[in-house]
Amino acid sequence: MCGILGYIGNQKKTVDVLLQGLSRLEYRGYDSSGIAIIQNGKSKVFKSKGKLSKLKTKINKHSPKGSLGIGHTRWATHGDASQKNAHPHISGGTSVVHNGIIENYLDLKNELKKKGYKFYSDTDTEVIAHLIEDMSASGLDFEDAARAAFKKIEGSYAIAVISDKNPDKVIATRKFSPLILAIGDHENYLASDVPAILPFSRKVVYLEDGDVAVLERDNVRITDLDGNELKRKVQSINWDPISVEKCGYRHFMMKEIYEQPQAILDTMRGRFSEETGEIFLEGFDPAMFKDINRIVALACGTSYHASLIGKYMIEKIAKVSVEVDIASEFRYRNPIIDRKTLAIAVSQSGETADTSEALVEAKSRGAKTISITNVMMSKIARDSDRVIYTHAGPEIGVASTKAFTTQLIAFYLFAIYLGRIKKQITKKQAIEMIKDALSIPQLIQVVLKLDNQIKELAKEFFTYRNFLYLGRGINYPIAFEGALKLKEISYIHAEGYAAGEMKHGPIALIDEDMPIVLIAPGDGVSNKKILGNLQEVRARKGKVIFLTSDLSAPEIKGNVDKIIEVPDCPNLLSPIVSIVPLQLLAYHIATYKGTDVDQPRNLAKVVTVE
Ligand code: AGP
C-alpha cells in the first residue's frame, strides 16, 4: 500500500504539488505522511502521524521552498503508525520514500549496522536510505549509488529518492508495486497512481519492473538496473481531472455511488451492437475461448462478491462451469487447472497482491487468463492475456461502489460474448440481453431517488451493534456485499448469508436487537422462499428491513419494519440495482455514527501485501 510522489520543476511550488498529490493518494494509506524538499542544497523533512491534514498544518508554519521533493502517505507494514516510522527516511543527505515490503531488510540492516549506520525507525524502508548513502561513500555518484542499492534489495517496492549531493534529480524504481511518471513542461512528476498527477499532466509513462527512472527538470531517462537506457511509451490519459474532485459531495463514496449510472454506460460503450447482438471486447478473439470448458474467477473482497455474481451470469448464459476462489487461498491449495481452464482475475485496482499472485499461479499451471480491472496497465492487466477494463473512472473512497457495479456489467458482457461463442444463446436472445443491460442506468437513477428515505431509515438503525443480511439466488452475494459495506465504513458487525443457511446456525442470533436486511427483488422462486425466511425471523422478533420490487405477497404486510422498494429488473442484472440502496444505507449509518467514510480505520484502498 502507501502512496508515493515526486516532483522536479520550477513551474509550481513543490510543496503545493506534493501536498495536493498526496491528498489524492491518501486513499492508499493514511497512518502517517511526510515530505522532503531540497531547499538551498539541504533536505528539509516534515513528517506527521495521522492524516495528511496534520502534516499540512505542520508545514504551513514553515512553507519550505525548493524545486524538487518527494512525498509519502503510509499504510503501516513494518513498525507502528508513528512519526518515527513515517517516511521519508533519511541517511546523510539521502531521503527515501517507499511503497511495498523489503523482504531481506533484516540481513541488510545487520550488515549496515556493522558498518556503523544508526537506525531510527522500525521500518524496512530505512535500509534503502543507508544503502544508497553507503554506496555513495564508496565513491559512486548518486545515480550509480541508487542503482547499486536497488540491486541489493529484494521484495516488492516502488521507491523515490533525492539527495543533497545531487539536488537536480529525483530517482525512482519499481518492482511489483505501481509507479508512473508524468511528463510536464519543464517539470516532471512521479506517483503511485494516475489520480495524483491528473490535474498537472496527462502524459504518462507506466514504469515496468526493474526500471530506474531519472527525473530532471527538462528530461526523463529510464534505464535498467545496470544503467542501460530503455525506451518506454508515453501514454495519454483520458480521465477528467474533475473525476478526482468531490464536486460538492461530502464524501467521495457518495459521489461514486451517484456516478454508477454513468460508469455502467461508460463500461458498456462501444462494446455491443443492438442490431446483431454482438459483443466487442478489445483484443478478444473467439478462438481463444473455443476450447474453454471451465472457468475459475480469482478475487478478493468486493471483487470476490462480483465474481460470485459473475458465476451465476456465465453459468446461466454461456453454460460453462465457474468456480470462484478467494485469491489468497487459491495458490495454497494445489488448484486443478489445465489448458481448457480460463482464469478471470477481478480487481478494481489491478494491484491486489493476492489476486495478482493467484493469476500468476493459474497462468503457470497452463490456464488462459483474462482480467476485469479498472486501472489501465496495472499489474494484473499486464499479466493477463486479455483485459476487460471497467470504465468506472478513479474510485477514491476506500469502500468500493462503482467499481463493483461496473465489474458486474463487465461479467454480463463477457457472459453474452461467451454464450454466443458456445452457441448457448441465439442472436435474438443476445439482443434482448443487451437491451436489458441498457435499462440498468435508468433503474439505478430510480433507486438513487430513495436516498432521503434511506437516510431516515439509517437514523433509526445506526445505534444497533449487529446486522444480518440475507439473500438468495443471484442476490445472495449481495448479502455479503451489503454486510461488507456496513462493517467497513460504520464498524458495525454485519454478516451476510445465503438465506437458506439461516436455519443452519445464524438463526440462533436473532432477537429484537438484531436487524435483518432481507434482499428479495423480483418475484421468482428465490423470493417465495425468502418470504419463508421472513416468517422465521419474525417469529423470533428480529427487526426486518425488506428490500423488494414486489409488494404483492400477503406475508409482507405487518411482518416487516421497513421496506426499501426497488424497481423491477431482469433477474440476472438485479444485483446491480439491489446493491445501490445497501451502499446508501451503509453510507448514512456511517455518517450518523460520525466515522471517516472515505478513509475508514485500518483499511487502505489498495492491498499490495499478502
Ligand atoms: C471493498 O469495499 C474493499 N475495500 C476491498 O474488499 C476490495 O474490494 C479488495 O481489497 C479488493 O480490491 P481490488 O478490487 O482492488 O483487487
Side-chain angles (χ1 to χ4, degrees):
M1 270 78 93
C2 304
I4 71 172
L5 206 91
Y7 174 72
I8 182 161
N10 292 318
Q11 311 297 311
K12 300 186 181 70
K13 276 177 82 178
T14 303
V15 65
D16 292 349
V17 173
L18 294 179
L19 291 177
Q20 268 190 52
L22 286 179
S23 68
R24 292 194 192 87
L25 286 177
E26 216 183 357
Y27 70 90
R28 300 178 68 88
Y30 32 83
D31 293 340
S32 62
S33 54
I35 62 167
I37 291 183
I38 299 185
Q39 181 173 328
N40 303 325
K42 270 252 156 262
S43 285
K44 291 219 158 224
V45 177
F46 301 86
K47 303 182 188 195
S48 198
K49 183 184 166 188
K51 292 288 193 72
L52 188 65
S53 52
K54 297 239 172 80
L55 180 72
K56 283 182 180 165
T57 313
K58 196 178 237 183
I59 290 175
N60 275 344
K61 293 183 199 140
H62 300 269
S63 57
K65 296 188 177 55
S67 59
L68 79 161
I70 52 177
H72 188 267
T73 178
R74 179 169 188 250
W75 187 83
T77 55
H78 291 71
D80 61 2
S82 60
Q83 174 147 334
K84 164 181 92 165
N85 291 328
H87 301 211
H89 290 284
I90 309 144
S91 177
T94 304
S95 305
V96 173
V97 291
H98 162 224
N99 165 33
I101 291 180
I102 306 299
E103 284 165 5
N104 59 340
Y105 86 103
L106 274 178
D107 292 343
L108 295 171
K109 190 170 179 172
N110 288 336
E111 274 174 39
L112 288 159
K113 271 183 171 171
K114 278 187 204 143
K115 290 185 174 182
Y117 288 94
K118 287 215 160 24
F119 282 77
Y120 299 95
S121 75
D122 309 316
T123 65
D124 50 345
T125 305
E126 198 179 347
V127 297
I128 309 169
H130 292 310
L131 264 181
I132 298 174
E133 201 56 24
D134 192 46
M135 298 297 173
S136 304
S138 72
L140 297 177
D141 69 12
F142 179 36
E143 261 188 71
D144 287 337
R147 274 191 282 261
F150 298 156
K151 269 187 177 174
K152 292 195 84 161
I153 57 179
E154 290 165 16
S156 63
Y157 48 81
I159 296 167
V161 196
I162 53 174
S163 165
D164 294 359
K165 296 189 194 90
N166 196 333
D168 295 310
K169 282 177 190 175
V170 180
I171 300 183
T173 189
R174 61 152 282 175
K175 188 176 168 199
F176 303 145
S177 293
L179 193 59
I180 57 157
L181 301 182
I183 316 290
D185 193 12
H186 304 297
E187 56 184 356
N188 293 302
Y189 309 80
L190 267 179
S192 296
D193 206 350
V194 171
I197 51 79
L198 215 45
F200 309 130
S201 165
R202 301 223 221 151
K203 281 198 276 172
V204 161
V205 177
Y206 292 89
L207 292 177
E208 295 185 14
D209 286 346
D211 285 2
V212 177
V214 182
L215 281 78
E216 294 162 330
R217 273 166 206 90
D218 290 305
N219 188 31
V220 167
R221 277 177 294 119
I222 299 167
T223 73
D224 63 15
L225 287 168
D226 294 316
N228 302 308
E229 295 242 352
L230 299 169
K231 289 253 170 295
R232 295 281 176 254
K233 205 170 150 201
V234 179
Q235 316 231 16
S236 291
I237 298 295
N238 58 9
W239 281 355
D240 184 340
I242 288 292
S243 63
V244 292
E245 306 294 340
K246 282 192 198 146
C247 301
Y249 287 92
R250 192 168 153 207
H251 296 103
F252 279 111
M253 181 181 176
M254 193 50 136
K255 177 180 171 234
E256 288 158 5
I257 290 173
Y258 271 79
E259 280 173 347
Q260 290 179 109
Q262 189 60 46
I264 287 168
L265 277 178
D266 289 345
T267 303
M268 292 182 65
R269 200 182 304 286
R271 287 178 161 162
F272 61 85
S273 159
E274 271 185 280
E275 281 76 48
T276 65
E278 277 172 288
I279 299 292
F280 311 107
L281 298 171
E282 210 184 346
F284 278 52
D285 173 1
M288 181 178 162
F289 303 97
K290 279 239 154 70
D291 292 341
I292 293 300
N293 59 13
R294 187 169 153 265
I295 294 175
V296 287
L298 309 166
C300 305
T302 289
S303 298
Y304 171 73
H305 300 154
S307 306
L308 291 173
I309 294 166
K311 170 186 166 77
Y312 272 78
M313 291 172 171
I314 294 171
E315 291 187 344
K316 177 89 185 166
I317 299 175
K319 313 262 182 309
V320 177
S321 157
V322 183
E323 264 174 61
V324 185
D325 258 285
I326 292 179
S328 55
E329 290 296 322
F330 176 77
R331 68 192 183 120
Y332 297 108
R333 65 164 180 80
N334 200 11
I336 296 165
I337 300 284
D338 61 26
R339 288 181 190 288
K340 294 189 173 177
T341 307
L342 174 71
I344 309 182
V346 186
S347 171
Q348 185 285 130
S349 61
E351 264 185 60
T352 302
D354 289 323
T355 310
S356 167
E357 291 301 324
L359 171 69
V360 171
E361 179 69 29
K363 209 170 183 175
S364 74
R365 289 171 182 255
K368 296 199 173 73
T369 58
I370 66 169
S371 56
I372 297 177
T373 182
N374 194 36
V375 179
M376 249 184 82
M377 297 294 287
S378 53
K379 177 152 188 347
I380 288 172
R382 282 184 286 127
D383 284 349
S384 23
D385 300 326
R386 301 287 184 277
V387 189
I388 307 175
Y389 284 112
T390 50
H391 296 303
E395 190 181 66
I396 312 282
V398 164
S400 204
T401 52
K402 61 178 179 170
F404 177 68
T405 43
T406 53
Q407 284 168 352
L408 294 184
I409 213 73
F411 262 120
Y412 186 75
L413 293 178
F414 179 67
I416 302 173
Y417 178 80
L418 195 61
R420 293 289 284 144
I421 294 172
K422 299 286 180 194
K423 302 199 181 349
Q424 294 298 328
I425 48 167
T426 61
K427 173 179 161 182
K428 192 163 163 258
Q429 284 171 315
I431 291 171
E432 279 309 308
M433 286 173 182
I434 290 166
K435 267 206 193 106
D436 287 348
L438 285 169
S439 71
I440 294 301
Q442 183 50 34
L443 296 178
I444 295 180
Q445 296 289 10
V446 173
V447 175
L448 289 172
K449 296 212 170 82
L450 301 176
D451 195 2
N452 280 334
Q453 181 201 325
I454 292 170
K455 191 172 175 187
E456 285 304 308
L457 199 161
K459 203 172 179 179
E460 284 181 47
F461 282 85
F462 79 96
T463 51
Y464 285 90
R465 301 185 55 154
N466 300 287
F467 274 72
L468 204 55
Y469 287 68
L470 302 173
R472 273 185 184 264
I474 196 164
N475 276 287
Y476 102 81
I478 291 300
F480 296 167
E481 179 58 11
L484 178 65
K485 288 292 87 93
L486 188 68
K487 55 189 148 193
E488 273 187 303
I489 59 170
S490 74
Y491 317 146
I492 292 173
H493 171 241
E495 294 293 339
Y497 273 98
E501 279 289 287
M502 189 178 75
K503 57 189 174 296
H504 299 289
I507 197 164
L509 295 169
I510 297 175
D511 62 16
E512 61 274 19
D513 293 325
M514 173 69 89
I516 290 127
V517 182
L518 278 176
I519 303 155
D523 55 2
V525 181
S526 292
N527 288 356
K528 302 239 161 26
K529 295 208 183 280
I530 278 219
L531 292 172
N533 296 127
L534 173 61
Q535 308 287 359
E536 290 157 10
V537 169
R538 216 49 190 182
R540 286 154 188 91
K541 302 200 168 34
K543 290 240 166 325
V544 177
I545 300 171
F546 198 69
L547 186 155
T548 188
S549 58
D550 177 15
L551 286 167
S552 63
E555 293 91 329
I556 299 173
K557 208 160 179 250
N559 274 332
V560 301
D561 296 278
K562 295 283 163 193
I563 290 176
I564 300 175
E565 191 180 354
V566 292
D568 198 17
C569 163
N571 182 256
L572 278 180
L573 292 160
S574 66
I576 307 182
V577 174
S578 50
I579 190 56
V580 178
L582 303 185
Q583 295 167 343
L584 289 168
L585 181 65
Y587 174 84
H588 288 303
I589 287 181
T591 50
Y592 279 122
K593 288 198 72 185
T595 58
D596 191 339
V597 170
D598 282 335
Q599 293 170 350
R601 68 184 182 203
N602 304 338
L603 293 175
K605 182 75 182 160
V606 192
V607 185
T608 52
V609 290
E610 262 201 82

